[in-house]
Amino acid sequence: MKLRKTLSIVLAVMMMLALVAGCGGKDDTNNNDTPDTGAQGAVKTGVSIVASVASSKDAELAQTDVTVVAVTVDDNGVIDDCVIDVIQAKVNFDATGTITTDLSATFPSKNELGSAYGMVKASKIGKEWNEQAQAFADYVVGKTVAEVKGIKVEGGKATDADIASSVTISVGDFITGIEAAVNNAAHLGAQKGDELRVESITTIAKSTNAAADAEGLAQAYATITALTAKDETITSCIIDAVQADVKFDATGKITSDLNAVIKTKNELADAYGMKKASKIGKEWNEQAQAFAAYVTGKTFSQAAGIAVEGGKATDADLASSVTISVGDFLALIAKAAK
């Protein structure tokens, strides 16, 4: 009798344990509130590059201003990180159409120049350009585009008290750039919290003097990357380039339309016209994208070790999709690693 009673109790306990285990398994499988940290942590990477030569002057100056805005943004449109920078390249030429600027010159961005840019002396709040750009970029983190566009601006400057105290430079182009960068952002591998970095290399080496029978050319060529990194690993990467041309005659008169829209090579896409001459049948933007995808997932040191000969990649798995020179691309990656 005692044995039968004991067996009954044991069976009852086992049934209860089985029921609890079954319920627990069902909850773990079907609970929609269980966080998917991988999906929720993914963010999109986007960049906006806008170039202008409107400040150029006859017989004096060809000036290219490039505003770069990069963001990471989640699927709800909330900005996770933001970097703002400006490149200013100046090529001087005289009334004979002769360029007087050293063609080997390179042009650091305003963020790279830092205090050497020299705004702090004239700043009412005692802050350099890069400090103010960083303050505005930090201010928009956690906001949506709608909220950024809602920032009160007057004469190009922010009037909201909580931002006006740290940013007195014009922010109109920043807001426009943020909207464009968010709109073209894509999932490229970045996760929330990855560090966003922007680097550029700008040269004027292809500029030429004017002659009696030929126009002169002041060309600013900027190669730009926006990438994200986790520790020493590249988690997403975008590479683009912009070629800004200002033509002038032998009297120094500018013959280019200074208000014309200047598109980047990624924006030009097939209109850039490289595909016809490409041995692999790929346009510049396709090859730049292939290179960016190739370095994503690699450490900075691994990317630096890519084999190159004559400026071109010789790694078989990269050379099959990228035949353009990658020297500047690698130089950008090296700058971003610092």
Side-chain angles (χ1 to χ4, degrees):
M1 187 73 178
K2 289 182 178 180
L3 179 60
R4 184 179 297 175
K5 185 175 182 180
T6 301
L7 288 172
S8 299
I9 293 171
V10 171
L11 287 171
V13 170
M14 290 177 66
M15 289 177 66
M16 290 179 64
L17 290 173
L19 181 61
V20 170
C23 291
K26 184 177 181 180
D27 284 347
D28 289 342
T29 303
N30 299 321
N31 185 358
N32 292 328
D33 294 330
T34 301
D36 182 349
T37 54
Q40 290 185 351
V43 291
K44 297 181 285 187
T45 308
V47 64
S48 165
I49 300 171
V50 177
S52 170
V53 294
S55 296
S56 302
K57 300 177 182 178
D58 289 334
E60 182 181 345
L61 173 69
Q63 178 172 316
T64 301
D65 295 289
V66 184
T67 302
V68 183
V69 179
V71 299
T72 50
V73 58
D74 68 19
D75 287 335
N76 294 317
V78 178
I79 297 168
D80 182 59
D81 202 355
C82 179
V83 177
I84 298 170
D85 205 353
V86 166
I87 305 158
Q88 191 173 80
K90 296 181 179 181
V91 181
N92 294 101
F93 57 95
D94 61 24
T96 67
T98 302
I99 293 172
T100 57
T101 301
D102 180 1
L103 296 186
S104 67
T106 57
F107 298 86
S109 72
K110 290 186 180 181
N111 282 347
E112 289 179 282
L113 286 169
S115 60
Y117 183 62
M119 174 180 281
V120 70
K121 296 177 182 178
S123 171
K124 293 180 180 179
I125 57 174
K127 290 186 179 294
E128 190 50 77
W129 188 95
N130 66 303
E131 296 176 300
Q132 297 192 46
Q134 182 64 57
F136 189 82
D138 291 342
Y139 182 72
V140 302
V141 170
K143 292 180 170 57
T144 63
V145 166
E147 291 171 324
V148 173
K149 292 175 70 174
I151 295 172
K152 295 179 181 178
V153 176
E154 188 174 317
K157 298 185 177 183
T159 58
D160 289 1
D162 49 353
I163 186 63
S165 61
S166 57
V167 182
T168 58
I169 57 178
S170 177
V171 299
D173 287 345
F174 298 170
I175 293 172
T176 300
I178 288 169
E179 181 178 13
V182 169
N183 287 343
N184 67 34
H187 284 293
L188 301 174
Q191 296 286 312
K192 186 175 177 63
D194 290 355
E195 184 181 356
L196 179 63
R197 308 176 189 180
V198 170
E199 299 293 347
S200 62
I201 296 172
T202 306
T203 65
I204 57 170
K206 293 185 178 180
S207 301
T208 56
N209 296 327
D213 57 349
E215 291 179 313
L217 171 67
Q219 182 185 96
Y221 190 99
T223 310
I224 299 161
T225 187
L227 62 78
T228 56
K230 175 68 173 178
D231 298 324
E232 292 301 309
T233 299
I234 299 166
T235 57
S236 71
C237 182
I238 299 171
I239 294 175
D240 203 350
V242 61
Q243 182 178 301
D245 293 345
V246 175
K247 295 181 180 181
F248 50 90
D249 63 23
T251 67
K253 181 175 177 56
I254 292 173
T255 56
S256 297
D257 178 2
L258 298 183
N259 296 310
V261 174
I262 302 170
K263 292 184 177 181
T264 70
K265 289 189 176 181
N266 284 349
E267 289 174 321
L268 286 168
D270 287 350
Y272 183 62
M274 174 180 282
K275 183 177 291 187
K276 295 178 182 178
S278 172
K279 293 180 180 179
I280 57 174
K282 290 186 178 293
E283 191 51 76
W284 189 96
N285 66 303
E286 295 176 301
Q287 297 192 45
Q289 184 176 357
F291 181 89
Y294 184 76
V295 299
T296 298
K298 290 180 169 55
T299 64
F300 286 108
S301 60
Q302 287 172 333
I306 292 173
V308 176
E309 187 176 317
K312 298 187 177 184
T314 57
D315 289 0
D317 49 352
L318 181 58
S320 62
S321 58
V322 182
T323 57
I324 58 177
S325 176
V326 298
D328 281 350
F329 297 174
L330 289 171
L332 290 172
I333 300 296
K335 288 179 72 172
K338 295 179 181 178

